[in-house]
Amino acid sequence: MDLRTTYPILAQYNQWMNQKLYAVCAEIPDVERKADRGAFFQSIHGTLNHILYGDRRWMARFTNTTFVGKLGEDLYADFDALRTARCQTDEEILAWSQQLEESWLRQPFEWTSGIDGAMHCQPAWVLVTHLFNHQIHHRGQLTTLLTQLNYDLGCTDLPWMPHLCWNAESDLR
C-alpha cells in the first residue's frame, strides 16, 4: 500500500462526510445544535468546532504555520461561519494530502502537545493517520447525536463515497 494514495482518499472521504454532516446540521435549529447533549464537547455545535480545531491544529503543525485556538473553545459561534471555515479547511487538507511524499511521511516528526504540554516525536505517517482517525471518531459521536434527534446522515461507508477511484494494480501492492 502506498501512503501517498491513502491520504488523498481519506481527505476526500473527510470532505464528503463533512458536506453530508453540515447539510443535515443546517436543518437543525441553532438552539438545538448548541444544546448540551452530554457529548464529550457538549453539543453538536461544540463537536463540529472541535473537529475543525483538531484539523487546523494538526495542519498548522504539518505545514509549520501559526494556529491560534484553544482546546475546548469554539472557533466559531455562528454556524454559517463554521461551515465556511470547514469547507475551506477541507479543501486545504485535500490539496496538502495530494502533495505528500513517502520520505516525509516516514520521517520522525516532533510536536508539542496541547494536552500535556510535552514534546513528542513519532513518525509523520502516524500523526497524519491520527488527523483522519480523530475526524472519524468525533463524526461517529455526531451521528449518534443526530440519530437521537431523528436526523439521518445516510450511508457513511467509504466504499460508497461518490467518485471513489482506485487502481487495483497500483494500490494493492
Side-chain angles (χ1 to χ4, degrees):
M1 179 169 75
D2 185 346
L3 293 174
R4 293 172 304 154
T5 60
T6 300
Y7 296 123
I9 289 172
L10 291 175
Q12 290 169 16
Y13 176 77
N14 170 59
Q15 185 177 47
W16 174 59
M17 286 305 305
N18 283 333
Q19 289 169 352
K20 289 173 55 116
L21 185 61
Y22 275 79
V24 169
C25 288
E27 299 174 20
I28 303 170
D30 200 50
V31 68
E32 290 296 317
R33 266 195 318 270
K34 292 180 177 178
D36 188 336
R37 305 210 173 272
F40 198 71
F41 290 94
Q42 292 76 42
S43 66
I44 292 168
H45 191 84
T47 305
L48 291 169
N49 262 284
H50 176 71
I51 297 169
L52 182 62
Y53 165 87
D55 288 353
R56 286 188 166 179
R57 169 61 77 195
W58 279 107
M59 288 302 296
R61 288 174 179 139
F62 295 147
T63 60
N64 199 26
T65 57
T66 302
F67 171 76
V68 178
K70 190 172 181 181
L71 182 64
E73 290 183 358
D74 283 352
L75 298 175
Y76 298 92
D78 177 74
F79 179 76
D80 291 333
L82 178 62
R83 189 177 193 177
T84 298
R86 175 76 268 166
C87 290
Q88 177 184 1
T89 301
D90 287 345
E91 287 292 332
E92 292 168 2
I93 292 171
L94 182 57
W96 172 79
S97 72
Q98 292 168 338
Q99 58 80 40
L100 290 173
E101 294 292 332
E102 187 82 21
S103 59
W104 181 85
L105 289 164
R106 298 277 178 208
Q107 289 180 5
F109 189 92
E110 289 188 355
W111 56 283
T112 302
S113 170
I115 295 173
D116 64 13
M119 178 71 75
H120 298 273
C121 184
Q122 294 170 310
W125 72 266
V126 170
L127 302 172
V128 175
T129 302
H130 171 70
L131 168 79
F132 294 108
N133 188 64
H134 179 262
Q135 298 161 354
I136 293 166
H137 166 71
H138 287 296
R139 279 195 303 263
Q141 293 172 333
L142 287 169
T143 58
T144 297
L145 296 175
L146 292 172
T147 300
Q148 291 170 351
L149 292 172
N150 295 315
Y151 288 91
D152 183 10
L153 193 59
C155 184
T156 62
D157 294 339
L158 177 65
W160 280 263
M161 179 176 68
H163 313 296
L164 176 61
C165 298
W166 62 279
N167 179 329
E169 291 179 12
S170 65
D171 290 346
L172 295 180
R173 286 185 247 163

